[in-house]
Structure formats: structure tokens, C-alpha cells
Amino acid sequence: MLEVNKDLVKKFQAEKNTKDFEVIFNYFAPRIKSLLMKSGADGAQAEDIMHDTMINIWEKIHMYNPDKGSFSSWVYTIARNNRIDLLRKKSSQPYTDISEVEIASDNESGLEIVEQKSISARVKKAIELLPLKQRKVIELSFVNDLTQEEIAGELNIPIGTVKSRMRLAYQKMKHNLKELQA
Amino acid sequence: MKQHPDLSTLMSYSSGTLSLAFSTLVTSHIENCDHCKEIVQIGNELGASMMENDIENKDKTEDFNEFLNKLNNKNNNSEIKEIDFDLNSEVPASLQRYIGTDLDEIQWSFFAPGIQKSQVKISDKSNCHLTFLKIKPNKKIPEHGHKGGELTLVLKGAFEDANGTYAAGDIADHDTSTHHEPVVSSKEDCICVIATDGPMVFKSMIANMYQSIVRI
């Protein structure tokens, strides 16, 4: 499988051709669908949301700004918002995400920690370094789409413990990302 | 901005597991908060990494030609809708679709002496709503706790409680462990918007009886 790298995304932004998009599709489509099925979507719903996400990528590629985060995180937020709209909110009002507002305002994010360079590898490593209990809470939230209350029920722990593990996981992640950047 | 959502709330925002009401208020806060934007972006990178490193599905493929047909059909049948925000408004962009761009246009009704209320339904397929309050200077909300989470975003003016002062753009993030008695500390009316996933529980029995009728 061909790699989705910064150059390919830049080329696709400039030329918007089907050949480059096929590489993006082949890399992300199975991953988006798999994440959706783990978060409770059935096969047909996962396929619909994946298709909607890929259509959004095609239509909104000009809005992606590499200074504000990795391409993968942009794809993830589109898939997440489509999932929210279709599966959880059951609303005809589309979810207004910060990325849409940011595009309108054209603010610079000023993020130092999330520059494109090898971010994906560093985040993967930073997650691996999380203590097991914190990592479990993060997985249940990000992969299985469980609310804090549902995680508390699943793990049979108080909701305050879920919150504190999430806080600790974030602090540890941030620390790990800085260490790995050095 | 000095008061931010709890770190765990921001992580849940990134994972997409907050309710529509909660996520709308968090978006409204982070529109102008670089501190929280950075936290949410790290959360988004975390979510992306979880999606990318799903080992079981690395070799699976999806039908690109089928997708292209769908894309072509869509291109022939629809136009992209651009969202138009007024970025100079005192109403955060993510609330503008619900209340417009002018706080003076909100239709208020009596809630309690010195307090006016307006409820806005934000989903036409569920009972999800936001409660706007307009409170006179020096007015106290009676001491209360919460049966669930509660986010309060200040849109104009300011209030304070034992945890600090909350001015325009600040968010108060309370859960079942919080008991407080907020009081408006600004010279002008304080306008704030509240999202809850459980009712307030007042220390006073009378306030509780009233709350069961008018319910925030």
C-alpha cells in the first residue's frame, strides 16, 4: 500500500486528482470503518459514515491547514463529527466543530507540540507509554465511544476516578510527547 | 480567559462522547481559547493514532470505484453549504445557529426575582436543550449541588463563587462533587448559558420545589 505522507496531501490539495485520492482512500477508508464498528455502528452505518467522511475530505481538502495538526487528526475529526451527527445526536442540525469556526476565523493555533514532523509515530509511542489503567479509559472513550458515565459502569469504578484517569492520561501524554520530541 | 473546562471534559470532547449541549458549549469556549485548543488538538492526535494503528484492519480494502460513483452522483445533485458566522458578534459562532448574533434578541421569560430564563432546543429529534439566564447585578443563585454534570458559559458580565470569578468566555465545569452559591459580580446583567445532564439540587426545600416546576 502506498504511503499517505505530507507531500501526497500537499499534491492532492493543489491538483485534487483521483489518483492521489485513491491512495488516501485506500489508507483511511478501512481504518475509519473499523473504528466506527468498534464504536457501535453496524456494517451499513459504518459504510455510510466512511463514505460521507471520504466525500468531506474530497470537498473540503482546501480547508486542511497542516499548521493546525496532522492530516490524520483532520480526517479523524471529520469521521468523529459524522459519527456524532448520525449515530448519537440523531439530529438534523449538523454539529458545529471548532475546526469549522477556526477556518472562518483563520486564527493561528500557535500549537508547538503538534507540528507535522513524525507526530503520528510520537503519539503512538506516547500512548504505549501510558499506564494500563489510564490507557484503558482512553481506549473506551476514543475507540468504543463510551461516555464517562458508561466507562465508570464498564469498569465498575466511580465517575470521579474515570475523570482523574483521563486527566492523568492527558498530562502523561503531553509529557511523553515533549520527551519524544527532544 | 481564566476558567476552562476540566481536562477530562476536553478529552471527552476530542473523543466525541460529550452530549450535543455540552460539546456546543465547549466549542463556544475554545473558539477564543488557545490553551484549550492545544489540549483538544492533542486529544484529536490521540484519536487519530488509535484509528491509524488498528492492526487488525491494516490489510482490509474498500471498493474505491463504488465510492467514486457515490461521489459523482453527489457532485451532480448538490452544492456545498458554507457556514456563515459573524465573528464580530458577542455570541460565539457555534451558538449563532441557535440564537442568532445579538444577545438583545433573546426572548426572555420570568424565572425568579432578578432572573430571566430562555430555553433553546438544539436538536429536533431529542430533548436536548440549552438554558440561557439573564441575572441582575449582586443577585445570588441559592446554594446548590448537581445530580449530574453542568457546564456554564458566561456570555456577558461576570459571576463568582467559591471556586473563582467567571467572566465572558469563561466556563464553569461542575459535577456532583460541587456545591456552590454563585453571585453576579459585574455591574451589568450577567448572561450565561447552561448545559446539564442532571437537575440542580438546592439546599433549600422551597428552592427545590420551585426547581422541580421550572427546571433548568
Side-chain angles (χ1 to χ4, degrees), chain A residues 33 37 41-48:
Chain A
K33 201 168 159 183
M37 293 186 74
D42 63 31
Q45 288 171 324
E47 178 111 349
D48 281 347

Side-chain angles (χ1 to χ4, degrees), chain B residues 88-117:
Chain B
N88 297 316
S89 166
E90 57 194 346
V91 179
S94 43
L95 287 176
Q96 289 177 14
R97 73 167 83 237
Y98 305 117
I99 60 166
T101 56
D102 188 352
L103 289 176
D104 293 335
E105 296 292 313
I106 296 176
Q107 301 294 309
W108 299 104
S109 60
F110 176 83
F111 177 65
I115 307 173
Q116 290 177 290
K117 169 183 140 174

Side-chain angles (χ1 to χ4, degrees), chain A residues 125-137:
Chain A
K125 186 71 187 164
I127 293 170
E128 284 167 6
L129 290 171
L130 287 178
L132 199 61
K133 284 179 178 175
Q134 291 167 23
R135 192 177 162 168
K136 184 70 186 167
V137 166

